[in-house]
Amino acid sequence: MATRALLKALSKRPLHFSTTLVSRSASTLVLAEHENGSIKAQTVSAVVAAKSLSEDNSVSLLLAGSGQSLKDAAKHAASCHPSVSQVLVADSDKFEYPIAEPWAKLVQMIQQSGEYSHIVSASSSFGKNVLPRAAALLDVSPITDVIEISSSSQFVRPIYAGNALCTVRYTGANPCMLTIRSTSFPIPPSSADSKCNEAPISEVDLSTLDEDYLGRSRYVGHTSQDAERPDLGSARVVVTGGRGLKSAENFKMVEKLAEKLGAAVGATRAAVDAGFVPNDLQVGQTGKIVAPELYLAFGVSGAIQHIAGMRDSKVIVAVNRDADSPIFQVADYGLVGDLFVVIPELIEKIPEKK
């Protein structure tokens, strides 16, 4: 009865609720990759993705390393994109090499002091190595391979080797951690060419970094491709060879053609597994995701996992002697022919790139 009387009394007068909405503007930490004193293009793509999270998003770049190379990279990072508002630099011999464990611990430490709403990295070997470990330390679930950002909490990512797209809504605690496909977030020409104001550079205080956690991995060695050859992940033209080349010796034809075109060299998983080339040239779901202006495929059958890594290429040209190869289903132009005849003829007729 008392409850009924109270409800009756309340119904006769308007109700006024005082609601305080506590909102925090978006702030994003981007994990930066650098080499030879320069920020990698895929990191700038991560900045582009971070900016699309929110109009008022504050973007900070985190670099780690040591020596002059790190200082040069920090200067480049400060002016690499107008959206960068701050550059954080962790200068220590512990980060001389990009080992995942110390990097993950560094991200945890930065997040505990900075409380970012998002942490973003390119979906590269570095990002795939570091971000899940950092997410585990921060007790959040990462969202990987994002190709579209609908809002600050809703994202699109491919599933089933790129044959379907999944929309994911993040409902967990901060930070929301993402890896993005750099090919889906191209760098605007205005950002790449224009000079922008330099963001301030701050040094990270590493006095509280857990030393015990850093010694669990050991750097063994590093191999890299020919410095004169374009980077596979960002090249405008990619020439890829498959198992149809039959041997590492024959694969050199692909490399020679790429040299003439000023292109990067790629390979299928089958070619890598057969030992034709090292695995850092692998294109596909378990390799590198590329989206060049021109993609040339020689002796590539078109396995699902390979197509998942190159289907976003602007123009795809395939050469295979099997007219029923799946690669022709995604190719813009196809030639049914013997690649041992086609490639030498192309090498002979294409002029040297100056």
Side-chain angles (χ1 to χ4, degrees):
M1 291 295 291
T3 303
R4 185 179 299 175
L6 178 61
L7 291 173
K8 187 176 180 180
L10 290 174
S11 66
K12 293 180 180 180
R13 57 184 296 183
L15 296 178
H16 299 281
F17 294 97
S18 177
T19 304
T20 303
L21 295 176
V22 180
S23 63
R24 184 176 183 274
S25 59
S27 59
T28 302
L29 180 69
V30 175
L31 310 187
E33 298 178 62
H34 62 93
E35 189 174 29
N36 299 325
S38 296
I39 296 297
K40 292 188 175 181
Q42 52 205 15
T43 293
V44 184
S45 292
V47 173
V48 173
K51 190 58 183 176
S52 66
L53 288 165
S54 172
E55 285 297 326
D56 61 346
N57 190 14
S58 172
V59 179
S60 299
L61 271 177
L62 174 61
L63 284 78
S66 64
Q68 188 60 43
S69 177
L70 176 64
K71 294 177 182 178
D72 294 341
K75 289 180 181 178
H76 182 212
S79 59
C80 70
H81 195 278
S83 298
V84 177
S85 57
Q86 182 184 24
V87 176
L88 303 176
V89 177
D91 190 349
S92 171
D93 291 339
K94 303 178 184 70
F95 301 106
E96 183 179 359
Y97 308 109
I99 299 175
E101 285 79 4
W103 252 97
K105 198 65 182 177
L106 174 65
V107 172
Q108 181 193 30
M109 186 190 74
I110 296 291
Q111 173 60 22
Q112 289 172 344
S113 60
E115 297 184 354
Y116 293 92
S117 61
H118 297 76
I119 297 178
V120 179
S121 174
S123 189
S124 57
S125 297
F126 169 82
K128 291 175 181 177
N129 207 11
V130 172
L131 201 95
R133 285 177 167 86
L137 291 175
L138 293 167
D139 196 24
V140 297
S141 298
I143 302 172
T144 58
D145 267 354
V146 171
I147 62 170
E148 182 182 327
I149 295 176
S150 305
S151 70
S152 60
S153 60
Q154 187 165 302
F155 314 96
V156 178
R157 62 183 301 272
I159 56 175
Y160 299 118
N163 289 303
L165 299 178
C166 176
T167 299
V168 180
R169 181 181 293 277
Y170 183 75
T171 59
N174 284 348
C176 174
M177 303 186 73
L178 313 169
T179 62
I180 60 97
R181 283 194 179 181
S182 56
T183 54
S184 299
F185 298 92
I187 305 168
S190 58
S191 299
D193 300 333
S194 63
K195 295 284 184 180
C196 55
N197 294 330
E198 291 190 2
I201 301 174
S202 304
E203 191 156 337
V204 176
D205 180 9
L206 300 174
S207 60
T208 59
L209 195 64
D210 185 0
E211 295 284 344
D212 294 336
Y213 190 82
L214 303 181
R216 299 183 182 180
S217 296
R218 182 171 57 89
Y219 173 79
V220 176
H222 174 71
T223 58
S224 60
Q225 64 178 18
D226 186 354
E228 296 181 358
R229 186 180 295 166
D231 178 65
L232 178 58
S234 57
R236 293 176 60 252
V237 181
V238 173
V239 182
T240 293
R243 185 163 47 189
L245 284 156
K246 298 182 180 179
S247 70
E249 186 65 29
N250 292 336
F251 204 94
K252 291 179 180 178
M253 292 192 300
V254 169
E255 296 174 345
K256 189 171 183 179
L257 177 60
E259 185 180 341
K260 277 217 165 186
L261 293 171
V265 174
T268 64
R269 179 171 180 172
V272 170
D273 289 346
F276 297 172
V277 289
N279 59 10
D280 62 330
L281 298 184
Q282 182 180 328
V283 174
Q285 185 181 16
T286 54
K288 292 185 178 179
I289 308 297
V290 300
E293 295 179 17
L294 175 62
Y295 187 87
L296 302 171
F298 295 95
V300 176
S301 63
I304 291 175
Q305 76 88 20
H306 180 76
I307 291 175
M310 45 68 74
R311 69 190 315 157
D312 292 331
S313 302
K314 306 302 182 291
V315 177
I316 300 171
V317 179
V319 178
N320 198 303
R321 65 181 180 181
D322 182 2
D324 296 324
S325 291
I327 189 68
F328 290 122
Q329 297 175 13
V330 296
D332 298 286
Y333 302 95
L335 174 63
V336 178
D338 187 347
L339 59 87
F340 295 104
V341 174
V342 174
I343 297 178
E345 189 172 345
L346 286 172
I347 292 173
E348 180 183 348
K349 292 188 177 181
I350 294 176
E352 291 286 348
K353 182 176 174 61
K354 296 182 180 180

